[in-house]
Amino acid sequence: MAQALLKFLDNQYISVDGVETKFVQGVMGIFGHGNVTGIGEALERSAGELVYVQGKNEQGMVHAAAAYAKQKNRRQIWACTSSIGPGALNMVTAAATATVNRIPVLLLPGDNFAGRQPDPVLQQLEVASDYNVSAADAFKPVSRYWDRIVRPEQLMAAALQAMRVLTDAAETGAVTLALPQDVQAEAYDYPDAFFVKRVHVVDRRPPSTAAVERATMLIAGAKRPLVIAGGGVLYADATAELAAFAERFGIPVAETQAGKSALPWDHPLNLGAIGVTGSLAANRIAAEADLIIGIGTRYSDFTTASKRAFRGEGVKFVNLNVQAADAAKLEGTALVADAKTGLIALQAALNAADYRSAYAEGELAALKAEWDREVDRLFAAEHADGLAQTRALGVIQETIDPSSVVVCAAGSLPGDLHRLWRPAQPKTYHMEYGFSCMGYEVAGAFGAALAEPEREVYAFVGDGSYLMMHSELVTSLQEGRKITILLFDNHGFQCIHNLQRANGSDGFGNEFRYRSVDTGRLTGAPLPIDFAAHARSLGAVAYTARTPEELREALAQAKRETTTTLIEIPVVPGTNTDGYESWWRVEVPEVSVSPKVGAAQREMAARTAEAKPY
């Protein structure tokens, strides 16, 4: 059965706009008793084109596979295999990360013996109330399609369903085929037709005429519309159509984390990031807009500032999205379609209506110029105690090649990058912020480097996220795929430390400090971790940069290196960006002995009352 699965995967292709691409590139895996003599043996003897990449952590390898698919606009994937029990469960977090971000990954966890003869097998859960349950059942809520292959002939129907979901722009995400270890090794006379070359044609979904008419009527009546560009713009290759649409009708554009780089940062109508981590320009326009045109966005709470970003009287929403559930959000007028075809149809209809927005001459340019000056100020800001995080980002921005891919996921860096980073080309900004999964950064950079070996790839990672997972640094060395890791060391989980203190806390449990004998808490001296030495111990090249000059030189040295390189960048805690007329709802206790917490709770409640209730 395992041999049949690999042969099937090796013959899957995808066709978009007439361009045919081999869909499954290979298998990333870590072998154990649940898959080594099944899929492992099949991979060892395989005569096909599937490449095997040895992961170092099951979660990390799935992050790498997801990053690869994201960078390839979801048109090429890797499968990931693990043993049963802990090996499988290690993939669950990354499966959720892929599903939330609408990224296709195929997961092939080993499973208990279907025949049950050695029951209970090593690592079996033994759920006495339901003996069908295994560790692989944990994938059900985080998968877009889930199946367990308990007979070898079931593989054929399941594999075709898996390909249907993986290649569907609206339904894609993690797909899990749980493979009992005895069934992997069982023989079956599969028909030759199962192994023929299959080309999965992805037709761009056109909008209905009636939906275009409804959307056009709303837009035509809007004086101050704002486009929010999400990841769907990039996945649909609709960046040119977005630019043409915005320019033709004078509509400003704000970008989500997934949509950033849809327009060059210096495009006159690009107001930058939107929402909690948004620019002042975009957030001010959003607050006064009478119409929001969401394109390929799922409207997360960071994008909508917990539904408080849009405060214009009677503000309405037009949602162009290939996913109907996303198109229905915020009581929007749904335009269910591919972003490219939808924008083309909307532009034609609005041309016929001779539409133009009613922004005052120079208004948008003035807002954009004001924000550009603020970014320049933050990039140049010096700090008496050391290197400010925004200053470090400014040095990196001016030093690395504009074609480089920057990868990030969690902590304070996503907020600063969303606000401040200036991408000049599409697909050079790679942010996992649907799940904001700590540990994605290094693995994701490796996946991006696999996808685009001709580009420099930089992982922006905080010390907290690096400590959670850096294992695929070793895989990048093993595979000869260079990445440059920019490790911002601020001695802890400072993003959450800032959030605590902003809501009345004195700051607790988020800095990397020794336990104090005096207080009994983690309030002692900072832990002296030498991240550069750690990276060298794994085989990477490493530098430490404490000043702008040292950072500039380290970046130049790193570019000349031919292998994975880490630059440790100590930065002053709390020197990240914040504010810019944004807001994020977190719950603050209604009862506390701290007056500061009480004040924070009352302020949170007042702002919550201003937000859209649903």
Side-chain angles (χ1 to χ4, degrees):
M1 189 277 281
Q3 294 163 357
L5 173 58
L6 294 182
K7 190 171 183 179
F8 171 85
L9 293 177
D10 202 26
N11 283 292
Q12 304 307 300
Y13 292 76
I14 191 170
S15 177
V16 180
D17 297 337
V19 178
E20 187 178 297
T21 307
K22 184 176 173 61
F23 189 54
V24 184
Q25 301 305 297
V27 180
M28 296 184 184
I30 297 176
F31 295 134
H33 76 289
N35 65 345
V36 68
T37 56
I39 288 181
E41 163 67 15
L43 281 165
E44 182 179 356
R45 313 298 177 189
S46 174
E49 297 179 10
L50 295 179
V51 176
Y52 173 69
V53 168
Q54 179 194 80
K56 305 302 174 292
N57 177 284
E58 291 88 354
Q59 183 184 149
M61 72 188 186
V62 179
H63 285 325
Y68 180 95
K70 178 180 176 72
Q71 202 62 30
K72 289 290 190 179
N73 276 349
R74 309 189 295 196
R75 294 171 192 177
Q76 291 176 282
I77 70 165
W78 287 73
C80 294
T81 183
S82 75
S83 182
I84 74 171
L89 289 174
N90 279 347
M91 297 198 294
V92 171
T93 297
T97 303
T99 293
V100 167
N101 286 283
R102 322 295 206 251
I103 301 296
V105 291
L106 175 60
L107 307 178
L108 306 171
D111 207 342
N112 302 341
F113 277 77
R116 298 188 183 177
Q117 179 276 323
D119 171 62
V121 69
L122 179 67
Q123 299 178 346
Q124 184 171 333
L125 284 179
E126 273 200 292
V127 179
S129 62
D130 186 346
Y131 229 67
N132 290 306
V133 173
S134 75
D137 286 81
F139 289 92
K140 286 181 177 179
V142 297
S143 297
R144 299 293 286 178
Y145 177 82
W146 184 97
D147 205 345
R148 176 178 281 125
I149 313 303
V150 296
R151 292 178 57 87
E153 63 266 36
Q154 291 177 346
L155 174 67
M156 293 180 285
L160 291 172
Q161 289 295 326
M163 287 301 116
R164 174 188 63 80
V165 175
L166 289 165
T167 59
D168 187 324
E171 296 300 323
T172 197
V175 166
T176 301
L177 300 182
L179 306 176
Q181 53 188 298
D182 52 343
V183 180
Q184 289 182 46
E186 191 172 344
Y188 182 78
D189 188 11
Y190 291 93
D192 289 341
F194 183 54
F195 305 113
V196 299
K197 176 181 177 180
R198 282 185 172 81
V199 181
H200 303 270
V201 179
V202 179
D203 292 319
R204 293 187 179 275
R205 179 168 181 169
S208 73
T209 301
V212 172
E213 289 175 354
R214 290 192 293 270
T216 300
M217 185 178 302
L218 276 177
I219 299 172
K223 295 181 178 180
R224 300 180 63 84
L226 172 68
V227 165
I228 296 180
V233 174
L234 292 164
Y235 300 142
D237 281 331
T239 55
E241 287 73 18
L242 173 64
F245 181 84
E247 292 163 6
R248 171 65 183 83
F249 306 116
I251 302 176
V253 175
E255 296 174 319
T256 70
Q257 287 279 22
K260 193 173 174 74
S261 81
L263 287 182
W265 74 272
D266 56 355
H267 189 285
L269 291 169
N270 187 350
L271 298 184
I274 184 73
V276 177
T277 52
S279 76
L280 188 61
N283 284 343
R284 281 183 173 171
I285 289 296
E288 300 172 0
D290 55 3
L291 179 71
I292 304 297
I293 306 170
I295 305 174
T297 176
R298 65 188 190 93
Y299 285 121
S300 77
D301 64 338
F302 259 62
T303 297
T304 68
S306 299
K307 300 181 181 176
R308 185 178 175 271
F310 318 113
R311 301 192 296 278
E313 186 177 352
V315 60
K316 294 182 172 57
F317 297 81
V318 169
N319 301 328
L320 167 55
N321 204 297
V322 74
Q323 167 59 261
D326 289 331
K329 289 176 178 176
L330 294 169
E331 293 188 282
T333 294
L335 186 60
V336 181
D338 168 85
K340 184 187 286 269
T341 60
L343 280 168
I344 291 170
L346 270 182
Q347 182 162 341
L350 289 167
N351 277 336
D354 197 27
Y355 173 71
R356 187 77 181 173
S357 72
Y359 287 100
E361 185 176 354
E363 178 184 0
L364 299 176
L367 278 171
K368 180 171 177 57
E370 180 186 5
W371 178 246
D372 288 345
R373 288 192 297 272
E374 174 65 359
V375 175
D376 290 340
R377 183 189 71 80
L378 290 165
F379 275 171
E382 301 288 355
H383 198 283
D385 294 332
L387 188 58
Q389 182 163 292
T390 61
R391 180 73 175 105
L393 289 176
V395 172
I396 298 165
Q397 177 84 80
E398 70 186 27
T399 305
I400 69 173
D401 193 283
S403 66
S404 302
V405 178
V406 302
V407 179
C408 192
S412 62
L413 282 168
D416 285 354
L417 288 168
H418 193 208
R419 279 197 178 99
L420 309 180
W421 196 254
R422 290 168 161 172
Q425 302 173 23
K427 304 299 291 185
T428 55
Y429 184 87
H430 181 124
M431 183 67 67
E432 186 290 292
Y433 213 63
F435 222 44
S436 185
C437 185
M438 296 184 74
Y440 177 93
E441 296 90 343
V442 173
F446 168 61
L450 276 179
E452 300 208 63
E454 70 283 358
R455 295 199 200 207
E456 291 282 327
V457 177
Y458 293 84
F460 287 68
V461 60
D463 53 323
S465 202
Y466 180 84
L467 287 171
M468 281 200 179
M469 185 173 296
H470 50 258
S471 53
E472 303 324 303
L473 183 160
V474 176
T475 310
S476 74
L477 293 168
Q478 184 178 29
E479 293 293 329
R481 296 300 179 105
K482 176 194 171 186
I483 60 176
T484 301
I485 301 167
L486 305 177
L487 194 155
F488 288 69
D489 181 9
N490 58 15
H491 303 297
F493 307 127
Q494 295 292 352
C495 175
I496 299 302
H497 192 214
N498 294 338
L499 181 64
Q500 278 182 308
R501 291 178 295 172
N503 287 284
S505 169
D506 295 321
F508 173 76
N510 276 306
E511 294 188 296
F512 295 161
R513 295 179 177 274
Y514 288 107
R515 188 169 299 281
S516 168
V517 175
D518 296 331
T519 67
R521 293 187 171 185
L522 301 176
T523 56
L527 296 178
I529 304 171
D530 190 337
F531 291 103
H534 174 264
R536 291 189 196 102
S537 77
L538 297 176
V541 175
Y543 302 92
T544 300
R546 294 181 173 84
T547 67
E549 294 72 24
E550 290 178 355
L551 179 54
R552 197 172 286 109
E553 177 59 26
L555 289 164
Q557 292 281 5
K559 187 169 184 178
R560 289 192 286 267
E561 300 292 350
T562 59
T563 191
T564 289
T565 302
L566 181 143
I567 302 176
E568 181 181 4
I569 310 168
V571 294
V572 179
T575 55
N576 55 289
T577 62
D578 193 22
Y580 300 106
E581 300 183 10
S582 67
W583 175 70
W584 186 36
R585 181 178 177 179
V586 293
E587 288 309 298
V588 182
E590 291 189 63
V591 179
S592 174
V593 297
S594 169
K596 292 189 299 181
V597 173
Q601 194 278 331
R602 290 189 292 274
E603 182 179 354
M604 187 66 66
R607 292 199 171 189
T608 300
E610 297 173 353
K612 288 177 66 67
Y614 56 90

